[in-house]
Amino acid sequence: MCTPSRSFTCTRAWTRSSTSSGRRTPSSSCAPCTSGGRFSLTRVRSCVVGLRFCPLRIQVWSLEQPEWHCRIDEGSAGLVASCWSPDGRHILNTTEFHLRITVWSLCTKSVSYIKYPKACQQGVSFTRDGRYMALAERRDCQDHVSVFVCSDWQLLRHFDTETQDLAGIEWAPNGCVLAVWDTCLEYKVLLYSLDGRLLSAYCAYEWSLGVKSVAWSPSSQFLAIGSYDGKVRILNHVTWKMITEFGHPATINNPKIVVYKEAEKTPRLAPGRLAFPPPRAAAGVASPAETKYEIASVPVSLQTLKPVADRANPKIGIGALAFSPDSYFLATRSDSVPNAVWIWDIQKLRLFVVLEQLSPVRSFQWDPQQPRLAICTGGGKVYLWSPAGCVSVQVPGEGDFQVLSLCWHLNGDSLALLSKDHFCLCFLETEDRVGTAFGRPGDHT
């Protein structure tokens, strides 16, 4: 389908996987508009609704009802960001220069406006039950937080924060505590209650780059803080004090830690046969190499990246971290070791597994229903890990599909893979999840 201005065209196509299971993999593509765009996905009941935006307009469509579509045009106000409300019935657009947030209702077609949003790393956060939204604001050179009721977008609470330059906010999963962290130039994490009371403040050190990433455990018992010093600090929910910290050394010496290394598969040849390069379907197009995981023997030296000291945003510190749905594991990525994903055992407070990829890790996300981690590196593969093992999966389909980010469905049986101008929906087998996703227990290749 096309927008009236013909800025881009959206099409849907179903392709059949070449695997023996015969799973169907739906894909969608959009010819990019002149200034580019990106996708976002949400789940509404049993259907999947997609959203794509460029700096002037938004195109919305439903994969369950292909005849339904919607276009939202912000006009001269422009558009710099867009996101879904938890109920999937509203779209929140942030205009250029962060002048306001426009809340569009897809059901009633009503419009609401929220002023003074702050341009920061993570300025909007919803509670898990979808009842409240916290918004970071900047008024009169002072940081503030406003709490809105998502049912009617009315203001519930408004309070200022003890920050110099607020960088992000994040609700605890139980919706009782809001974490607020300051600019990277000052290490400060503040914990506020729903009514705006300051519960606690945490500072690990001074006079150095501070907080880079923050994540709550699903149980709301732990708050993980990733710092520029390459360590993750875990705070407890009772005293808000640190209970442990995890470092990310470039060399793994502990024999109890399993290190998986991605390696290219070598084709097996019959005796007396010579190896020839595989034929190419078209000139200049090479088939992607198959890869597998191998268990490395300790000590293992991981690939490190030397940061450029005279440039902004150095590639150091903990750039990403996430808890498993049962709060048993914590996955982290150190930007100075970009090819590795570290998985920590939260029950025993120790390093459990390290996965080293051939390319830098772009994104990872836990299955919402079980401790299963999906990883992408910007190539045509998706990597899955669970306590039973790990596997490398080639994305089926024609052409070179580069997976830049991914998103699990809430029930954990499907995965949305996003590239620059396409997305693909992968459905996993549900009869025997462990056997299908990872093969037999102990089979790590």
mmCIF file with all atom_site columns, all heavy atoms in Angstrom, residues 24 47 78 155 177 190 216 244 303 314 332 363 369 415:
data_model
loop_
_atom_site.group_PDB
_atom_site.id
_atom_site.type_symbol
_atom_site.label_atom_id
_atom_site.label_alt_id
_atom_site.label_comp_id
_atom_site.label_asym_id
_atom_site.label_entity_id
_atom_site.label_seq_id
_atom_site.pdbx_PDB_ins_code
_atom_site.Cartn_x
_atom_site.Cartn_y
_atom_site.Cartn_z
_atom_site.occupancy
_atom_site.B_iso_or_equiv
_atom_site.pdbx_formal_charge
_atom_site.auth_seq_id
_atom_site.auth_comp_id
_atom_site.auth_asym_id
_atom_site.auth_atom_id
_atom_site.pdbx_PDB_model_num
ATOM 1   N N   . ARG A 1 24  ? 6.333  -21.017 8.425  1.00 0.00 ? 24  ARG A N   1
ATOM 2   C CA  . ARG A 1 24  ? 6.152  -19.866 7.564  1.00 0.00 ? 24  ARG A CA  1
ATOM 3   C C   . ARG A 1 24  ? 6.785  -18.639 8.206  1.00 0.00 ? 24  ARG A C   1
ATOM 4   O O   . ARG A 1 24  ? 6.639  -18.406 9.398  1.00 0.00 ? 24  ARG A O   1
ATOM 5   C CB  . ARG A 1 24  ? 4.669  -19.612 7.302  1.00 0.00 ? 24  ARG A CB  1
ATOM 6   C CG  . ARG A 1 24  ? 4.022  -20.687 6.472  1.00 0.00 ? 24  ARG A CG  1
ATOM 7   C CD  . ARG A 1 24  ? 2.642  -20.255 6.038  1.00 0.00 ? 24  ARG A CD  1
ATOM 8   N NE  . ARG A 1 24  ? 1.802  -19.930 7.182  1.00 0.00 ? 24  ARG A NE  1
ATOM 9   C CZ  . ARG A 1 24  ? 0.591  -19.422 7.060  1.00 0.00 ? 24  ARG A CZ  1
ATOM 10  N NH1 . ARG A 1 24  ? 0.098  -19.159 5.864  1.00 0.00 ? 24  ARG A NH1 1
ATOM 11  N NH2 . ARG A 1 24  ? -0.144 -19.165 8.131  1.00 0.00 ? 24  ARG A NH2 1
ATOM 12  N N   . CYS A 1 47  ? -2.928 -9.836  17.248 1.00 0.00 ? 47  CYS A N   1
ATOM 13  C CA  . CYS A 1 47  ? -2.396 -9.304  15.989 1.00 0.00 ? 47  CYS A CA  1
ATOM 14  C C   . CYS A 1 47  ? -1.117 -8.523  16.240 1.00 0.00 ? 47  CYS A C   1
ATOM 15  O O   . CYS A 1 47  ? -0.777 -8.179  17.363 1.00 0.00 ? 47  CYS A O   1
ATOM 16  C CB  . CYS A 1 47  ? -3.420 -8.402  15.300 1.00 0.00 ? 47  CYS A CB  1
ATOM 17  S SG  . CYS A 1 47  ? -3.745 -6.859  16.171 1.00 0.00 ? 47  CYS A SG  1
ATOM 18  N N   . GLY A 1 78  ? 7.226  18.695  12.449 1.00 0.00 ? 78  GLY A N   1
ATOM 19  C CA  . GLY A 1 78  ? 8.266  17.695  12.265 1.00 0.00 ? 78  GLY A CA  1
ATOM 20  C C   . GLY A 1 78  ? 8.130  16.536  13.233 1.00 0.00 ? 78  GLY A C   1
ATOM 21  O O   . GLY A 1 78  ? 7.202  16.472  14.050 1.00 0.00 ? 78  GLY A O   1
ATOM 22  N N   . LEU A 1 155 ? -2.572 14.530  34.101 1.00 0.00 ? 155 LEU A N   1
ATOM 23  C CA  . LEU A 1 155 ? -1.410 14.630  34.974 1.00 0.00 ? 155 LEU A CA  1
ATOM 24  C C   . LEU A 1 155 ? -1.761 14.120  36.370 1.00 0.00 ? 155 LEU A C   1
ATOM 25  O O   . LEU A 1 155 ? -2.739 14.558  36.976 1.00 0.00 ? 155 LEU A O   1
ATOM 26  C CB  . LEU A 1 155 ? -0.927 16.074  35.040 1.00 0.00 ? 155 LEU A CB  1
ATOM 27  C CG  . LEU A 1 155 ? 0.288  16.352  35.928 1.00 0.00 ? 155 LEU A CG  1
ATOM 28  C CD1 . LEU A 1 155 ? 1.507  15.617  35.400 1.00 0.00 ? 155 LEU A CD1 1
ATOM 29  C CD2 . LEU A 1 155 ? 0.554  17.843  36.021 1.00 0.00 ? 155 LEU A CD2 1
ATOM 30  N N   . VAL A 1 177 ? 8.536  2.163   42.120 1.00 0.00 ? 177 VAL A N   1
ATOM 31  C CA  . VAL A 1 177 ? 9.750  2.969   42.217 1.00 0.00 ? 177 VAL A CA  1
ATOM 32  C C   . VAL A 1 177 ? 10.171 3.389   40.819 1.00 0.00 ? 177 VAL A C   1
ATOM 33  O O   . VAL A 1 177 ? 10.114 2.600   39.870 1.00 0.00 ? 177 VAL A O   1
ATOM 34  C CB  . VAL A 1 177 ? 10.892 2.186   42.906 1.00 0.00 ? 177 VAL A CB  1
ATOM 35  C CG1 . VAL A 1 177 ? 12.143 3.047   43.008 1.00 0.00 ? 177 VAL A CG1 1
ATOM 36  C CG2 . VAL A 1 177 ? 10.459 1.709   44.280 1.00 0.00 ? 177 VAL A CG2 1
ATOM 37  N N   . LEU A 1 190 ? 18.973 8.164   41.279 1.00 0.00 ? 190 LEU A N   1
ATOM 38  C CA  . LEU A 1 190 ? 17.979 8.552   42.270 1.00 0.00 ? 190 LEU A CA  1
ATOM 39  C C   . LEU A 1 190 ? 16.773 7.630   42.171 1.00 0.00 ? 190 LEU A C   1
ATOM 40  O O   . LEU A 1 190 ? 16.347 7.280   41.062 1.00 0.00 ? 190 LEU A O   1
ATOM 41  C CB  . LEU A 1 190 ? 17.546 10.010  42.068 1.00 0.00 ? 190 LEU A CB  1
ATOM 42  C CG  . LEU A 1 190 ? 18.673 11.039  42.025 1.00 0.00 ? 190 LEU A CG  1
ATOM 43  C CD1 . LEU A 1 190 ? 18.131 12.402  41.613 1.00 0.00 ? 190 LEU A CD1 1
ATOM 44  C CD2 . LEU A 1 190 ? 19.378 11.126  43.373 1.00 0.00 ? 190 LEU A CD2 1
ATOM 45  N N   . TRP A 1 216 ? 16.140 -2.953  35.471 1.00 0.00 ? 216 TRP A N   1
ATOM 46  C CA  . TRP A 1 216 ? 15.504 -3.575  36.626 1.00 0.00 ? 216 TRP A CA  1
ATOM 47  C C   . TRP A 1 216 ? 15.356 -5.079  36.393 1.00 0.00 ? 216 TRP A C   1
ATOM 48  O O   . TRP A 1 216 ? 15.149 -5.523  35.260 1.00 0.00 ? 216 TRP A O   1
ATOM 49  C CB  . TRP A 1 216 ? 14.111 -2.993  36.852 1.00 0.00 ? 216 TRP A CB  1
ATOM 50  C CG  . TRP A 1 216 ? 14.065 -1.612  37.408 1.00 0.00 ? 216 TRP A CG  1
ATOM 51  C CD1 . TRP A 1 216 ? 13.962 -0.448  36.707 1.00 0.00 ? 216 TRP A CD1 1
ATOM 52  C CD2 . TRP A 1 216 ? 14.097 -1.232  38.789 1.00 0.00 ? 216 TRP A CD2 1
ATOM 53  N NE1 . TRP A 1 216 ? 13.923 0.629   37.550 1.00 0.00 ? 216 TRP A NE1 1
ATOM 54  C CE2 . TRP A 1 216 ? 13.999 0.175   38.846 1.00 0.00 ? 216 TRP A CE2 1
ATOM 55  C CE3 . TRP A 1 216 ? 14.181 -1.956  39.979 1.00 0.00 ? 216 TRP A CE3 1
ATOM 56  C CZ2 . TRP A 1 216 ? 14.003 0.875   40.047 1.00 0.00 ? 216 TRP A CZ2 1
ATOM 57  C CZ3 . TRP A 1 216 ? 14.182 -1.260  41.179 1.00 0.00 ? 216 TRP A CZ3 1
ATOM 58  C CH2 . TRP A 1 216 ? 14.100 0.140   41.211 1.00 0.00 ? 216 TRP A CH2 1
ATOM 59  N N   . THR A 1 244 ? 26.806 -6.428  45.067 1.00 0.00 ? 244 THR A N   1
ATOM 60  C CA  . THR A 1 244 ? 27.953 -6.983  44.354 1.00 0.00 ? 244 THR A CA  1
ATOM 61  C C   . THR A 1 244 ? 28.219 -6.151  43.113 1.00 0.00 ? 244 THR A C   1
ATOM 62  O O   . THR A 1 244 ? 27.397 -5.318  42.715 1.00 0.00 ? 244 THR A O   1
ATOM 63  C CB  . THR A 1 244 ? 27.707 -8.454  43.941 1.00 0.00 ? 244 THR A CB  1
ATOM 64  O OG1 . THR A 1 244 ? 28.932 -9.023  43.444 1.00 0.00 ? 244 THR A OG1 1
ATOM 65  C CG2 . THR A 1 244 ? 26.658 -8.543  42.855 1.00 0.00 ? 244 THR A CG2 1
ATOM 66  N N   . GLN A 1 303 ? 38.356 -10.479 22.086 1.00 0.00 ? 303 GLN A N   1
ATOM 67  C CA  . GLN A 1 303 ? 38.751 -9.360  21.237 1.00 0.00 ? 303 GLN A CA  1
ATOM 68  C C   . GLN A 1 303 ? 38.337 -8.046  21.895 1.00 0.00 ? 303 GLN A C   1
ATOM 69  O O   . GLN A 1 303 ? 37.175 -7.867  22.271 1.00 0.00 ? 303 GLN A O   1
ATOM 70  C CB  . GLN A 1 303 ? 38.100 -9.478  19.857 1.00 0.00 ? 303 GLN A CB  1
ATOM 71  C CG  . GLN A 1 303 ? 38.477 -10.730 19.090 1.00 0.00 ? 303 GLN A CG  1
ATOM 72  C CD  . GLN A 1 303 ? 37.827 -10.788 17.721 1.00 0.00 ? 303 GLN A CD  1
ATOM 73  O OE1 . GLN A 1 303 ? 37.441 -9.767  17.169 1.00 0.00 ? 303 GLN A OE1 1
ATOM 74  N NE2 . GLN A 1 303 ? 37.719 -11.987 17.179 1.00 0.00 ? 303 GLN A NE2 1
ATOM 75  N N   . PRO A 1 314 ? 33.128 7.725   23.905 1.00 0.00 ? 314 PRO A N   1
ATOM 76  C CA  . PRO A 1 314 ? 34.105 6.648   23.714 1.00 0.00 ? 314 PRO A CA  1
ATOM 77  C C   . PRO A 1 314 ? 33.467 5.276   23.854 1.00 0.00 ? 314 PRO A C   1
ATOM 78  O O   . PRO A 1 314 ? 32.500 5.089   24.590 1.00 0.00 ? 314 PRO A O   1
ATOM 79  C CB  . PRO A 1 314 ? 35.119 6.910   24.836 1.00 0.00 ? 314 PRO A CB  1
ATOM 80  C CG  . PRO A 1 314 ? 34.343 7.647   25.885 1.00 0.00 ? 314 PRO A CG  1
ATOM 81  C CD  . PRO A 1 314 ? 33.360 8.501   25.131 1.00 0.00 ? 314 PRO A CD  1
ATOM 82  N N   . THR A 1 332 ? 24.939 -8.921  29.709 1.00 0.00 ? 332 THR A N   1
ATOM 83  C CA  . THR A 1 332 ? 25.584 -7.619  29.578 1.00 0.00 ? 332 THR A CA  1
ATOM 84  C C   . THR A 1 332 ? 26.474 -7.585  28.351 1.00 0.00 ? 332 THR A C   1
ATOM 85  O O   . THR A 1 332 ? 26.897 -8.632  27.844 1.00 0.00 ? 332 THR A O   1
ATOM 86  C CB  . THR A 1 332 ? 26.424 -7.281  30.826 1.00 0.00 ? 332 THR A CB  1
ATOM 87  O OG1 . THR A 1 332 ? 27.486 -8.241  30.954 1.00 0.00 ? 332 THR A OG1 1
ATOM 88  C CG2 . THR A 1 332 ? 25.576 -7.300  32.078 1.00 0.00 ? 332 THR A CG2 1
ATOM 89  N N   . SER A 1 363 ? 22.371 -6.090  19.254 1.00 0.00 ? 363 SER A N   1
ATOM 90  C CA  . SER A 1 363 ? 21.221 -6.085  20.164 1.00 0.00 ? 363 SER A CA  1
ATOM 91  C C   . SER A 1 363 ? 21.020 -7.489  20.718 1.00 0.00 ? 363 SER A C   1
ATOM 92  O O   . SER A 1 363 ? 21.395 -8.483  20.091 1.00 0.00 ? 363 SER A O   1
ATOM 93  C CB  . SER A 1 363 ? 19.964 -5.608  19.423 1.00 0.00 ? 363 SER A CB  1
ATOM 94  O OG  . SER A 1 363 ? 18.824 -5.684  20.246 1.00 0.00 ? 363 SER A OG  1
ATOM 95  N N   . GLN A 1 369 ? 9.068  -15.457 28.276 1.00 0.00 ? 369 GLN A N   1
ATOM 96  C CA  . GLN A 1 369 ? 8.478  -16.592 28.978 1.00 0.00 ? 369 GLN A CA  1
ATOM 97  C C   . GLN A 1 369 ? 9.492  -17.552 29.579 1.00 0.00 ? 369 GLN A C   1
ATOM 98  O O   . GLN A 1 369 ? 9.127  -18.354 30.440 1.00 0.00 ? 369 GLN A O   1
ATOM 99  C CB  . GLN A 1 369 ? 7.560  -17.364 28.022 1.00 0.00 ? 369 GLN A CB  1
ATOM 100 C CG  . GLN A 1 369 ? 6.407  -16.539 27.479 1.00 0.00 ? 369 GLN A CG  1
ATOM 101 C CD  . GLN A 1 369 ? 5.469  -16.048 28.561 1.00 0.00 ? 369 GLN A CD  1
ATOM 102 O OE1 . GLN A 1 369 ? 5.232  -16.735 29.555 1.00 0.00 ? 369 GLN A OE1 1
ATOM 103 N NE2 . GLN A 1 369 ? 4.944  -14.840 28.396 1.00 0.00 ? 369 GLN A NE2 1
ATOM 104 N N   . LEU A 1 415 ? 9.356  -14.093 16.898 1.00 0.00 ? 415 LEU A N   1
ATOM 105 C CA  . LEU A 1 415 ? 10.413 -13.105 17.026 1.00 0.00 ? 415 LEU A CA  1
ATOM 106 C C   . LEU A 1 415 ? 10.371 -12.189 15.816 1.00 0.00 ? 415 LEU A C   1
ATOM 107 O O   . LEU A 1 415 ? 10.299 -12.653 14.675 1.00 0.00 ? 415 LEU A O   1
ATOM 108 C CB  . LEU A 1 415 ? 11.775 -13.813 17.115 1.00 0.00 ? 415 LEU A CB  1
ATOM 109 C CG  . LEU A 1 415 ? 12.999 -13.026 17.541 1.00 0.00 ? 415 LEU A CG  1
ATOM 110 C CD1 . LEU A 1 415 ? 12.849 -12.539 18.972 1.00 0.00 ? 415 LEU A CD1 1
ATOM 111 C CD2 . LEU A 1 415 ? 14.242 -13.908 17.422 1.00 0.00 ? 415 LEU A CD2 1
#
